[in-house]
């Protein structure tokens, strides 16, 4: 089944497109704070709902892997006549970008990795154990109610309580099912390309927030140490989804990186 995808802007001749790949939620809507700024700056933007999520419904196989998700991106690139892209990936979406750069390097002109990682770590494993236990014992409603705890800083959640609750209600209404969620979490937990980082030679922006409670910022630091051509942008606040909670400085950093490393002629 074709994946839901959308194209924004037209770009300029010779410039790669930007492929937006979301985290565990899988929805193109995650990137609403970025798309207008990217299009206004002259970029062609491709966003998609990942397989088994949102507007790309499908039952995933139990052993669904990040490599499968990277092949899904090739499908989206082909469907949108996108020869080459910069993958901008949040968390799981960043893992997809890393895998694509290894498996189909000719399709990747650059990477932006937001609170991502190259190998498992015990803290994130503990968080996912707790989330899966909640899903199994109490159900989807409790799982999505707990989700903002891992995404956003507490003060931001309190200040934006109505927005957070609306997001939770939407996530529950469109929950992809326990089996799909377990398959997706299993895929990201199994991901390990740490020993292969030196093979990824494209310009890369690694973005992290030090108060991310799900993924330690030191995992981004490890990416910055292992990748050959990297800019490391680490901010003190914003949480796991700091591109959402504080989008303006994130967008400035993103556009500066794109303009310097992949200038639009």
């Amino acid at each position: 089944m074709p994946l839901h995808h959308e194209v924004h802007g037209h770009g300029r001749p010779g410039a790669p497109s930007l492929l937006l790949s979301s985290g565990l939620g899988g929805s193109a809507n995650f990137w609403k704070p970025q798309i207008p700024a990217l299009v206004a700056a002259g970029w062609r933007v491709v966003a998609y709902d990942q397989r088994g999520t949102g507007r790309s419904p499908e039952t995933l196989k139990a052993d669904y892997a990040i490599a499968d998700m990277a092949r899904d991106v090739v499908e989206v690139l082909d469907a949108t006549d996108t020869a080459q892209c910069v993958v901008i990936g949040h968390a799981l979406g960043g893992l997809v970008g890393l895998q694509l750069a290894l498996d189909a390097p000719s399709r990747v002109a650059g990477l932006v990795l937001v609170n991502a990682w190259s190998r498992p770590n015990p803290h994130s494993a503990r968080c996912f154990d707790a989330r899966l236990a909640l899903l199994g014992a109490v159900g989807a409603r409790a799982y999505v109610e707990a989700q903002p705890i891992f995404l956003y800083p507490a003060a931001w959640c309190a200040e934006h309580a109505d927005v957070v609750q609306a997001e939770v209600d939407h996530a529950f209404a469109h929950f992809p099912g326990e089996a799909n969620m377990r398959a997706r979490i299993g895929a990201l937990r199994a991901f390990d390309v740490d020993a292969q980082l030196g093979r990824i030679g494209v310009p890369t922006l690694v973005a992290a927030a030090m108060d991310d409670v799900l993924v330690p910022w030191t995992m981004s630091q490890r990416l910055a140490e292992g990748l050959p051509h990297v800019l490391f942008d680490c901010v003190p606040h914003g949480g796991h989804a700091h591109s959402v909670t504080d989008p303006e400085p994130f967008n400035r950093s993103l556009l500066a990186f794109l303009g310097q490393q992949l200038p639009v002629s």
Side-chain angles (χ1 to χ4, degrees), residues 7 20 35 62 65 67 70 82 138 144 146 153 200 206 258:
V7 178
L20 307 182
I35 291 173
T82 303
V138 188
V144 298
I200 301 174
V206 173
L258 294 171

Side-chain angles (χ1 to χ4, degrees), residues 15-257:
S17 295
L18 309 180
L19 186 285
L20 307 182
S21 187
S22 302
L24 187 57
S27 173
N29 290 332
F30 177 82
W31 300 102
K32 283 184 176 180
Q34 280 69 57
I35 291 173
L38 293 170
V39 171
W43 295 95
R44 177 178 183 262
V45 178
V46 179
Y48 72 110
D49 286 3
Q50 294 170 8
R51 192 175 304 280
T53 73
R55 294 159 290 185
S56 299
E58 187 171 327
T59 300
L60 302 176
K61 58 184 182 179
D63 61 349
Y64 194 59
I66 297 298
D68 296 310
M69 299 184 196
R71 285 190 286 272
D72 288 340
V73 169
V74 173
E75 178 182 309
V76 172
L77 295 178
D78 290 344
T80 56
D81 295 320
T82 303
Q84 195 176 48
C85 70
V86 178
V87 180
I88 302 175
H90 174 253
L92 178 148
L95 313 191
V96 175
L98 287 165
Q99 190 70 57
L100 186 66
L102 290 167
D103 294 347
S106 66
R107 307 302 294 268
V108 179
L111 293 170
V112 178
L113 309 174
V114 185
N115 291 316
W117 60 93
S118 59
R119 61 186 178 189
N121 76 87
H123 172 76
S124 297
R126 181 175 293 108
C127 291
F128 285 117
D129 284 342
R131 295 175 74 176
L132 289 173
L134 188 63
L135 177 60
V138 188
R141 184 80 218 190
Y143 177 91
V144 298
E145 288 285 357
Q147 188 164 279
I149 298 170
F150 298 97
L151 282 177
Y152 308 128
W156 190 91
C157 281
E159 185 178 351
H160 300 86
D162 292 344
V163 172
V164 171
Q165 191 59 53
E167 185 178 283
V168 166
D169 292 341
H170 183 271
F172 178 65
H174 298 86
F175 191 70
E178 183 173 345
N180 274 12
M181 189 58 69
R182 289 186 179 276
R184 286 172 59 74
I185 291 176
L188 65 81
R189 293 185 69 167
F191 182 78
D192 188 344
V193 297
D194 196 69
Q196 302 180 69
L197 291 179
R199 292 175 48 203
I200 301 174
V202 296
T204 302
L205 171 65
V206 173
M210 296 187 77
D211 63 347
D212 185 342
V213 300
L214 179 60
V215 180
W217 71 271
T218 48
M219 301 307 294
S220 291
Q221 184 180 51
R222 169 60 199 151
L223 283 171
E225 292 170 349
L227 290 163
H229 303 292
V230 66
L231 175 66
F232 187 30
D233 180 31
C234 190
V235 299
H237 303 297
H240 186 58
H242 73 280
S243 58
V244 173
T245 60
D246 200 8
E248 291 185 7
F250 175 84
N251 290 354
R252 285 196 299 269
S253 176
L254 174 59
L255 288 169
F257 166 77

